[in-house]
Amino acid sequence: MDVASTMTDSVNSLPVIDIGNEESQGSQGKAPVRFGWVTGVMMRCMLNIWGVILFLRLSWIISQAGILLTCLIILMSVVVTSVTALSISAIATNGRVTSGGAYFMISRSLGPEIGGPIGMVFSFANALACALNTVGFAEVVRDLMQEFGVVMIDKDNDVRIVGVITVTLLLLISLAGMEWESKAQIFFFTVLMVSFSNYFVGTFLPPSPEKQAMGIFGYRSEVFISNLKPDWRGNDNDFFQMFAIFFPSAIGILSGANISGDLKDPATAIPKGTLMAILLTTISYLAISVTVGSCVMRDASGNISDILTGNITDGCVGLGCNLGWNFTECIQSQSCEYGLANNLKVLGQVSGFYYLITAGVFAASLSSALGFLVSAPKVFQCLCRDNLYPYIGFFAKGYGKNDEPLRAYLLCYIIAAAFILIGKLNTIAALISNFFLCSYCLINFSCFHASITNSPGWRPSFHYYSKWTALFGAVISVVLMFMLTWWAALVTFSIIIFLFGYVNYNKPKVNWGSSVQAGTYNMALSYSVSLSGVEDHVKNFRPQCLVLTGPPNQRPALPHDLWRHNHGQSFSRRVRSFYTPFTADSLRAGTRHLLQATGLGKLKPNTLVMGFKTNWKDSSPESIEDYPLKAYSFSCYITVDDISSKGDSDQIKTVFQNDQGKKTIDVYWIADDGGLTLLVPYLLTRRKNWRSSKVRVFIVGDEQNMEEGRNEMIALLKRFRLDFNDVIVMTDSEKRPFLDSVAPFRLFDEQQEGVSLEELRQSAPWKISDKEFESEKIMRLNEIIRRNSQQTALVSLPVPESDCPSALYMAWLDTLTCGLHCPAVLIRGNQQNVLTFYCQ
């Protein structure tokens, strides 16, 4: 094989998305904008991680948990995000990653059933996160306006107005294209760098008396030591509550991966940019936690008159006494308005210039809102193009050289604006964190599952990961979901399960080579091998059918509901089974080969299913001789008379496709064949279309002992736990000759003098001797069947031993089912028990 040509063919066979719009075609001459790992991944992740929690909540968390536990909270969050980043890096380097970000990675690893729900939930979560960050920005603007005495309507409506105007401006930036959006993000990043520099410079500046009145004293060992340990205030505040408040700041690690389609080299940019962003933001969070905890007290009044004169400290309470300030009154009355525990704007007060921190808050919230506004449409566009859910294909269209999802942008804008106008986002905030944690869980599980299945296609170029750390990341993400907000975790899983059920029910026709497929193969192989060492038991018997269908659409009753199995591959009308075309010189030779070669270990077929040869009278004698297949232990024959019709799909429809309602299945139990004649109808009633059908059992008896025989059969069925509806005793059978059917095949050996029966048989082995004709001529069941079973849905009959000429055998079967207007299943067991009433 030519490896080079094979690789070329593989590359050429990669799916190409037909965007189908004039805008894209018109701009093919311009190269699309692509980003490297710094501006495309690292900067975006850092901007999303540096959110309003850093500026407005971190100092308060330090006041509650202390410096040590705050650093522990930060490091615990980093463990989760770092493990997830390693999993993302492994998945992103295992082949070409196109647009779609987290959805693309999860769906191509775990399949559409898992990827579809995550894509839908993740897109919605990004839209809501855009609304949340916009509201955070609007609240800061409102507070700033109130400082200058500016009020538009009232406190709540001002937030709504500013929020809608802000998200509209962000939409315009997004619609201008990724190039303008990237420039905006660079501007926000620059503002944040200036803001951080302003803060760190402020920590080294000597504090003025006004700052000291606010509890700001610069780097002092007394302040650092007093803030090391926790000081829980409030009934609900504890370590896990602080962790729940801080952790949403870490949800931005997927911001770079979400625009994977706009990266120059996603396989390089995503690992390098994501991990570098986590490292740098972790250092910044730890540095700010230690510095602000070393400079600012927990409680201060802000009143400059509380300064101590001289060395008089009588009655003074708190750390301020050692630093020349008496904050006793506000501490005892719990009315302090400044300090780590009481003011959310501590970073601005510590910094060199207060309003540069305000600018940093603006940059952090706006950059996060813009990042989420861009991420949601990109992910949703990829989901729409996969056609996993109805009515969303409209949003799959892209525009321009970068294939911008303008329609999805507008949808995300409408969702974000709607929730901004609702205004009550505290409840939604808990759901957002759970949605992102659920994504983290599945990303880690994707990496673990792909590794544990040992799929040959799992060959990531990023090697710094472990399947066990990925499993740990998946488990800890679920734990965190319930630890943060248990009810939101339940809502999240309910939504995921509902969306999973929809995709699983519809079975989309996609094949992405997922690790689930590899895992299924491994499990099937393992179970098949383990079964080989298990002895057969009658309680576990089930028909494993080898169905000789021919072209399945020509004999639809054979592969359809009666013989449908619960496992396998669909090939005809979504029938779940294995289909293999096979050619042979004759029916008998082909069947022998199939019975010997089909199946693995305990999964080899034990039941042969064939269609009745309705044209046997017009067939060659040799083909009739082949048909009975006398040598096999189990054999089932099915004949379908006048119950087929052409449907819209130009395929034959059968009664097996229709709901049978409360029709009956009639079982004629003439001889004990091991119970197969009783078992097959019972299994049939477990199918959806036959669930309401009643089963009647006909047995042979005499008039004198009819009731006794009926009661014995009812008792036997109960012991077998077969819930059949009625038992009918047949005491009278009418004769019906079948001379016309067998006349052309008689030897008339008794009328030919001087010729032995053996000599006649050598020249015509398929013909019937006079003795055989006399012994088999009385066919008594047909009239009884026609009289009792005209309105039934199915008739189950035993067939005789086939140690007779093939023509006689075929005539017997033909006569037995003559005149029936329902399907007839002819069953012959080998007297091996398939039913038991014992529990061992």
Side-chain angles (χ1 to χ4, degrees):
M1 178 181 293
D2 186 350
V3 177
S5 62
T6 303
M7 293 178 65
T8 302
D9 293 341
S10 300
V11 172
N12 292 336
S13 65
L14 288 173
V16 178
I17 298 175
D18 183 9
I19 299 172
N21 59 291
E22 297 178 358
E23 290 83 353
S24 294
Q25 296 171 1
S27 54
Q28 287 179 352
K30 298 180 181 180
V33 178
R34 294 289 184 259
F35 305 107
W37 70 273
V38 176
T39 57
V41 180
M42 186 189 76
M43 190 180 298
R44 292 176 184 277
C45 291
M46 293 177 72
L47 286 171
N48 276 272
I49 295 173
W50 283 332
V52 292
I53 290 177
L54 171 64
F55 291 97
L56 301 181
R57 289 292 184 272
L58 182 60
S59 59
W60 179 77
I61 293 174
I62 295 170
S63 74
Q64 295 280 335
I67 297 175
L68 293 178
L69 290 184
T70 299
C71 292
L72 179 61
I73 288 172
I74 295 171
L75 293 176
M76 286 177 59
S77 302
V78 170
V79 168
V80 178
T81 56
S82 298
V83 169
T84 305
L86 294 176
S87 298
I88 293 173
S89 302
I91 297 173
T93 58
N94 188 53
R96 179 171 174 258
V97 177
T98 60
S99 62
Y103 160 70
F104 183 88
M105 297 180 190
I106 295 174
S107 62
R108 271 53 178 180
S109 295
L110 294 180
E113 294 85 359
I114 300 296
I118 284 298
M120 189 72 74
V121 167
F122 192 66
S123 301
F124 188 64
N126 275 270
L128 294 186
C130 173
L132 273 179
N133 283 274
T134 304
V135 168
F137 168 79
E139 288 178 349
V140 176
V141 173
R142 177 202 61 192
D143 295 341
L144 189 62
M145 291 168 57
Q146 288 179 347
E147 289 182 13
F148 292 95
V150 178
V151 177
M152 289 182 286
I153 299 178
D154 55 41
K155 183 177 179 180
D156 293 332
N157 285 313
D158 285 1
V159 171
R160 294 186 175 99
I161 294 172
V162 174
V164 171
I165 294 174
T166 302
V167 78
T168 303
L169 293 175
L170 294 178
L171 173 67
L172 295 178
I173 295 174
S174 301
L175 294 178
M178 289 298 296
E179 190 171 1
W180 282 95
E181 188 269 347
S182 178
K183 291 178 180 179
Q185 295 287 31
I186 293 174
F187 171 75
F188 291 141
F189 187 82
T190 303
V191 173
L192 276 171
M193 291 297 101
V194 173
S195 180
F196 286 147
S197 300
N198 174 54
Y199 163 75
F200 284 110
V201 168
T203 61
F204 289 99
L205 296 177
S208 64
E210 289 78 8
K211 284 192 174 184
Q212 290 184 3
M214 297 177 183
I216 302 170
F217 292 91
Y219 291 104
R220 301 293 292 265
S221 59
E222 301 96 323
V223 176
F224 175 74
I225 293 172
S226 67
N227 288 331
L228 277 178
K229 297 182 180 179
D231 180 17
W232 308 115
R233 302 183 183 184
N235 296 328
D236 298 329
N237 291 331
D238 55 20
F239 177 82
F240 293 108
Q241 181 65 22
M242 294 302 106
F243 183 88
I245 293 172
F246 175 82
F247 186 79
S249 65
I251 64 177
I253 64 168
L254 295 177
S255 300
N258 286 338
I259 63 162
S260 54
D262 297 296
L263 300 176
K264 292 179 182 177
D265 183 9
T268 301
I270 292 176
K272 187 185 297 185
T274 305
L275 292 172
M276 186 61 70
I278 292 175
L279 174 63
L280 296 178
T281 53
T282 301
I283 294 173
S284 65
Y285 270 102
L286 291 174
I288 292 175
S289 299
V290 173
T291 55
V292 77
S294 302
C295 296
V296 186
M297 296 171 49
R298 282 189 167 96
D299 298 293
S301 64
N303 189 350
I304 199 169
S305 63
D306 287 338
I307 191 171
L308 289 173
T309 57
N311 294 321
I312 302 174
T313 59
D314 294 341
C316 185
V317 176
L319 178 63
C321 304
N322 299 330
L323 301 175
W325 290 81
N326 186 0
F327 300 130
T328 304
E329 183 180 350
C330 78
I331 292 175
Q332 292 180 342
S333 63
Q334 297 182 355
S335 60
C336 295
E337 296 181 0
Y338 292 90
L340 294 175
N342 307 294
N343 196 295
L344 300 179
K345 301 176 182 178
V346 170
L347 293 188
Q349 295 164 357
V350 173
S351 65
F353 183 65
Y354 175 83
Y355 290 107
L356 279 180
I357 295 297
T358 302
V361 176
F362 287 173
S365 55
L366 289 177
S367 63
S368 296
L370 181 59
F372 289 124
L373 183 61
V374 170
S375 296
K378 295 283 186 180
V379 174
F380 192 64
Q381 182 187 40
C382 184
L383 173 65
C384 294
R385 284 177 171 170
D386 287 337
N387 293 317
L388 302 183
Y389 295 102
Y391 313 120
I392 62 174
F394 174 80
F395 300 100
K397 189 174 182 179
Y399 295 82
K401 59 184 180 181
N402 273 53
D403 191 26
E404 298 289 349
L406 301 187
R407 296 176 179 177
Y409 276 135
L410 292 175
L411 176 63
C412 180
Y413 166 77
I414 292 172
I415 294 173
F419 279 94
I420 290 171
L421 292 174
I422 293 173
K424 304 296 183 181
L425 295 178
N426 289 336
T427 302
I428 302 299
L431 279 176
I432 294 175
S433 295
N434 272 269
F435 287 166
F436 279 96
L437 275 172
C438 188
S439 302
Y440 292 175
C441 170
L442 289 176
I443 287 173
N444 283 301
F445 184 76
S446 299
C447 182
F448 167 75
H449 196 267
S451 302
I452 204 72
T453 54
N454 294 320
S455 173
W458 176 248
R459 303 185 303 275
S461 57
F462 181 85
H463 301 293
Y464 304 102
Y465 75 97
S466 167
K467 59 186 175 184
W468 302 118
T469 56
L471 179 61
F472 168 77
V475 173
I476 199 65
S477 297
V478 175
V479 172
L480 288 176
M481 289 177 68
F482 284 95
M483 189 181 73
L484 297 184
T485 317
W486 65 267
W487 63 264
L490 293 178
V491 171
T492 302
F493 280 115
S494 298
I495 295 173
I496 294 293
I497 291 172
F498 173 77
L499 295 173
F500 169 84
Y502 179 86
V503 177
N504 189 58
Y505 176 80
N506 283 276
K507 299 273 188 294
K509 295 181 179 179
V510 295
N511 185 6
W512 294 327
S514 67
S515 62
V516 173
Q517 295 172 341
T520 302
Y521 173 82
N522 284 349
M523 290 174 62
L525 186 62
S526 176
Y527 289 150
S528 299
V529 172
S530 63
L531 275 176
S532 62
V534 179
E535 295 185 4
D536 293 331
H537 195 283
V538 63
K539 287 199 303 182
N540 296 325
F541 174 85
R542 64 179 60 202
Q544 295 172 185
C545 301
L546 172 62
V547 186
L548 307 182
T549 66
N553 61 343
Q554 294 184 11
R555 302 296 294 267
L558 290 173
H560 211 272
D561 272 337
L562 183 60
W563 310 110
R564 283 180 68 172
H565 198 272
N566 290 331
H567 304 283
Q569 180 180 1
S570 173
F571 69 90
S572 174
R573 285 190 195 85
R574 302 180 73 174
V575 176
R576 298 166 66 86
S577 57
F578 302 100
Y579 176 69
T580 302
F582 188 82
T583 57
D585 295 335
S586 65
L587 175 65
R588 182 181 296 271
T591 304
R592 281 177 174 169
H593 294 157
L594 285 172
L595 285 174
Q596 293 176 30
T598 303
L600 294 171
K602 297 294 183 180
L603 300 182
K604 295 185 71 67
N606 57 22
T607 304
L608 179 65
V609 182
M610 305 170 61
F612 183 68
K613 190 176 180 65
T614 55
N615 64 341
W616 67 274
K617 296 179 183 179
D618 302 323
S619 301
S620 65
E622 291 80 6
S623 66
I624 300 176
E625 182 67 16
D626 269 351
Y627 183 78
L629 299 172
K630 307 174 187 179
Y632 304 108
S633 58
F634 286 102
S635 53
C636 305
Y637 302 89
I638 178 170
T639 179
V640 183
D641 297 331
D642 299 327
I643 58 171
S644 301
S645 61
K646 286 283 184 179
D648 296 336
S649 61
D650 201 30
Q651 289 192 6
I652 300 174
K653 291 186 176 180
T654 78
V655 296
F656 297 104
Q657 295 174 260
N658 303 323
D659 190 347
Q660 300 302 313
K662 295 186 178 181
K663 292 182 180 180
T664 61
I665 300 174
D666 289 348
V667 180
Y668 288 83
W669 203 43
I670 310 302
D672 184 7
D673 61 352
L676 189 63
T677 306
L678 296 173
L679 179 61
V680 169
Y682 167 74
L683 295 177
L684 187 60
T685 58
R686 297 172 65 177
R687 304 297 307 171
K688 179 180 178 181
N689 291 346
W690 299 80
R691 193 165 295 162
S692 301
S693 300
K694 298 180 179 180
V695 181
R696 300 187 301 179
V697 180
F698 291 82
I699 60 174
V700 177
D702 53 61
E703 294 184 2
Q704 291 78 12
N705 301 317
M706 184 172 63
E707 192 63 25
E708 179 181 352
R710 182 175 181 275
N711 292 335
E712 289 179 355
M713 188 62 190
I714 292 176
L716 182 62
L717 293 175
K718 287 183 177 180
R719 295 177 69 185
F720 283 136
R721 302 171 305 284
L722 297 174
D723 188 18
F724 290 171
N725 298 85
D726 197 8
V727 174
I728 300 173
V729 180
M730 300 180 295
T731 60
D732 184 29
S733 299
E734 298 182 8
K735 299 179 180 181
R736 176 171 181 173
F738 56 108
L739 295 176
D740 295 339
S741 297
V742 300
F745 302 97
R746 293 187 59 184
L747 282 174
F748 298 102
D749 53 294
E750 294 183 359
Q751 301 177 15
Q752 300 185 35
E753 297 181 358
V755 182
S756 65
L757 177 61
E758 289 74 19
E759 292 175 344
L760 294 173
R761 273 282 168 80
Q762 288 179 358
S763 60
W766 57 86
K767 289 197 173 183
I768 309 168
S769 69
D770 289 350
K771 184 175 181 181
E772 291 167 340
F773 174 75
E774 289 296 326
S775 63
E776 297 289 343
K777 71 178 181 178
I778 302 177
M779 312 296 291
R780 299 178 296 173
L781 277 179
N782 179 256
E783 288 296 333
I784 297 176
I785 297 171
R786 292 174 61 184
R787 182 169 61 249
N788 294 307
S789 304
Q790 281 295 340
Q791 304 301 321
T792 62
L794 185 73
V795 173
S796 176
L797 297 167
V799 297
E801 295 292 337
S802 55
D803 53 347
C804 61
S806 55
L808 177 62
Y809 189 77
M810 297 300 295
W812 199 100
L813 299 181
D814 203 4
T815 303
L816 186 62
T817 58
C818 180
L820 295 181
H821 298 288
C822 64
V825 181
L826 308 177
I827 301 174
R828 186 187 67 196
N830 64 350
Q831 283 71 51
Q832 176 180 334
N833 289 332
V834 298
L835 293 172
T836 181
F837 44 75
Y838 295 107
C839 62
Q840 60 188 26

